Amino acid sequence: MTTTTKSAAPVAAAAPARRPGPASLALRQGRLEIRQFLRSRESVVFTLGFPIIMVLIFASIFDGDLGNGVSYTQYFITGMIATGLMTVSFQNLGIWIPIERDRGVLKRYRGTPMPKWVWFAGKVIMVLVTGLVMTALLLGVSVALFDLDLPSTASAWLTFGWVSALGVTACTLCGIAISSLARTARSGSAVVTPIALVLQFISGVFFVFTNLPSWMQQVAAIFPLKWMCQGLRAVFLPESFGASEPGGSFELTRVALVLGAWCVIGLVLCLTTFRWTTRRDG
């Protein structure tokens, strides 16, 4: 009696797990950061709602013609767009990174195999998305309620794009850098909020910039918010209004140079001051 055995079917070798590429890692981290942001209702209301609330209040109270067919409401709205971009980047990161550091979140990230740059990329994506949403909401309210005229030329939209991009980049890097000044999670807001408020008052957001004392104008010219406001005025206000600026024009070349310089300064500060752990952890 003979027996035959069936040959075992060859077992296919398991395909090695495919590692996600850099873009996939960044997008995944970005989605995580956005979900975490949306879970904090206080942050969502403050970050997205603050500029809109301020526009509704100030534009409803103050009115008047600043000359060249520009109303105070139009002038104020351009400043609030710049403020909103600073809020979602500089202020938001400067407050929340110390909280994550104090809770040990950054320490755990540092101990994972994930490249460190992925965490920063996630923050950048979160800032970009929230900045786009905030700007769209603010423009929608301004157009619907206060007759703001949107740019009518491609060059104006291009200017809006590069001013916003450079401004958000500079504010994001500075927000990451200033987060290292907070010793605890609770002190983040105390460190960042006063700086943001002072910059708003001296940079031509709540008041016409040329009506401020000259020393205040000179101090404001050191920081990016003043140049963000000026660049956005070039987008939403008539070209003739540029003659009312301190330099006699909107000075877009100088706007680009100053914001670009702050991107470099912010990057250097991030590389030299950022901490993954609290000071008590060493």
Side-chain angles (χ1 to χ4, degrees):
M1 180 176 178
T2 60
T3 59
T4 60
T5 57
K6 295 182 179 180
S7 59
V11 179
R18 193 172 185 179
R19 293 185 178 182
S24 179
L25 285 174
L27 290 174
R28 291 182 184 184
Q29 185 65 22
R31 286 195 296 267
L32 175 63
E33 294 289 346
I34 293 171
R35 286 199 298 268
Q36 290 178 339
F37 170 76
L38 294 176
R39 288 171 184 168
S40 176
R41 295 181 180 178
E42 297 85 357
S43 295
V44 173
V45 172
F46 176 78
T47 303
L48 300 181
F50 173 75
I52 296 175
I53 292 172
M54 296 302 293
V55 165
L56 292 174
I57 293 175
F58 274 78
S60 300
I61 295 176
F62 300 100
D63 197 5
D65 188 4
L66 302 180
N68 297 306
V70 176
S71 67
Y72 172 80
T73 300
Q74 292 174 303
Y75 189 96
F76 176 70
I77 289 172
T78 59
M80 284 312 302
I81 295 173
T83 293
L85 294 175
M86 185 184 73
T87 300
V88 301
S89 51
F90 175 79
Q91 199 163 350
N92 192 33
L93 295 178
I95 292 174
W96 277 100
I97 290 177
I99 295 175
E100 294 183 355
R101 184 184 292 118
D102 205 46
R103 291 175 178 174
V105 175
L106 300 190
K107 187 177 181 179
R108 291 193 293 272
Y109 268 120
R110 189 183 184 186
T112 66
M114 183 181 71
K116 295 181 179 63
W117 66 264
V118 174
W119 180 83
F120 292 98
K123 293 294 184 186
V124 170
I125 292 174
M126 184 268 292
V127 167
L128 291 176
V129 172
T130 53
L132 285 172
V133 172
M134 181 280 304
T135 303
L137 291 174
L138 188 55
L139 288 177
V141 170
S142 301
V143 170
L145 300 181
F146 302 107
D147 299 323
L148 178 70
D149 294 326
L150 294 178
S152 57
T153 63
S155 62
W157 281 110
L158 180 61
T159 301
F160 178 72
W162 68 255
V163 170
S164 300
L166 285 177
V168 167
T169 301
C171 290
T172 297
L173 292 170
C174 291
I176 294 173
I178 202 172
S179 68
S180 298
L181 294 179
R183 294 181 176 272
T184 64
R186 295 181 179 180
S187 62
S189 179
V191 171
V192 177
T193 303
I195 296 175
L197 285 175
V198 169
L199 288 177
Q200 290 170 38
F201 276 101
I202 69 174
S203 298
V205 175
F206 300 113
F207 308 102
V208 177
F209 186 74
T210 50
N211 290 344
L212 298 173
S214 59
W215 67 266
M216 197 175 291
Q217 296 181 32
Q218 293 171 5
V219 172
I222 300 173
F223 300 99
L225 182 59
K226 181 264 184 187
W227 299 100
M228 293 169 64
C229 293
Q230 186 167 312
L232 292 177
R233 287 197 291 271
V235 175
F236 292 97
L237 302 186
E239 186 176 353
S240 58
F241 191 81
S244 303
E245 297 290 342
S249 68
F250 289 118
E251 299 180 291
L252 290 179
T253 301
R254 182 172 292 184
V255 171
L257 290 174
V258 174
L259 293 181
W262 268 104
C263 291
V264 176
I265 293 170
L267 179 60
V268 172
L269 291 174
C270 286
L271 295 175
T272 56
T273 65
F274 185 77
R275 298 175 60 91
W276 291 92
T277 58
T278 60
R279 288 181 172 86
R280 63 175 178 269
D281 293 331

